[in-house]
Each structure stands twice: as structure tokens, then as C-alpha cells.
Amino acid sequence: LAPTLALAVALAGASGPNGDPAKAAAAVAGLHAAGVSCLFGISDTPDKKRSEWSIAGISMGGTALPDRDYYLSAAPDRVAIRAKYVAHVARMLRLVGGEYAADEAAA
């Protein structure tokens, strides 16, 4: 877990309004190399015309809830999912530690 957390810290340090795009790209590449899909995923998939071939498939990824309703809806199922998501983010901030540990309370 420590190498992945180090990459997450690098990504956090490279992001924001004053972030360095090259460092952010390097952090995302490091996360993918460690097996953590973020922003997008890459996998092999059968070719639709020649099923004996495999081709690269690129899919959308994310680090957040699937859509706007998960953040704003008052539906009981969405409220429950949102609470679990907030608890998850808080745990991740605690694991990263340092300056992010204080952000846990805000999550």
C-alpha cells in the first residue's frame, strides 16, 4: 500500500490551480503502472470483426461518484452511498497522513 500512497501524494502535490501538468501525468502513469486505474482504464478486448485478435480497449475511469445525482439527490439510497463515499475518502486521507490528515475532518 505504501508505494500506491506515495503516488497518491505525488498526484495531490501536482494538482490544483498551481499544479504541474507534467508531474500530474507522471503520477497518473505511476498509478497505472502500480495497477491502479484512474482517469481511464486500458485493457485488451476482442476485435469485433476478427475475434481471434485482441485489441486495446480504453474506458473512462474516475475517482468519484458516477454522476451529479449521487452528490445532490435526497433519495435514501443516494444518501447512503454518499455517506459511504465520504467515509472512504476520510480513510484514504488518514492513510496518506501528513497535511491531509486534517482534511479528514472536513470530509
Side-chain angles (χ1 to χ4, degrees):
L1 190 58
T4 303
L5 290 176
L7 288 167
V9 169
L11 181 58
S15 62
N18 298 319
D20 181 350
K23 287 182 181 178
V28 168
L31 285 167
H32 275 272
V36 178
S37 292
C38 63
L39 305 179
F40 61 92
I42 300 174
S43 63
D44 65 327
T45 187
D47 186 298
K48 292 185 181 199
K49 293 184 179 178
R50 299 190 75 173
S51 61
E52 69 272 11
W53 291 9
S54 288
I55 58 173
I58 300 175
S59 61
M60 170 175 75
T63 58
L65 297 173
D67 64 47
R68 182 177 182 271
D69 287 343
Y70 282 85
Y71 293 98
L72 303 176
S73 175
D77 64 326
R78 299 299 165 101
V79 171
I81 290 170
R82 191 166 48 245
K84 289 178 183 178
Y85 178 69
V86 168
H88 168 72
V89 170
R91 279 192 303 275
M92 294 301 104
L93 292 171
R94 188 171 48 253
L95 286 171
V96 172
E99 66 183 282
Y100 301 102
D103 293 339
E104 177 185 358

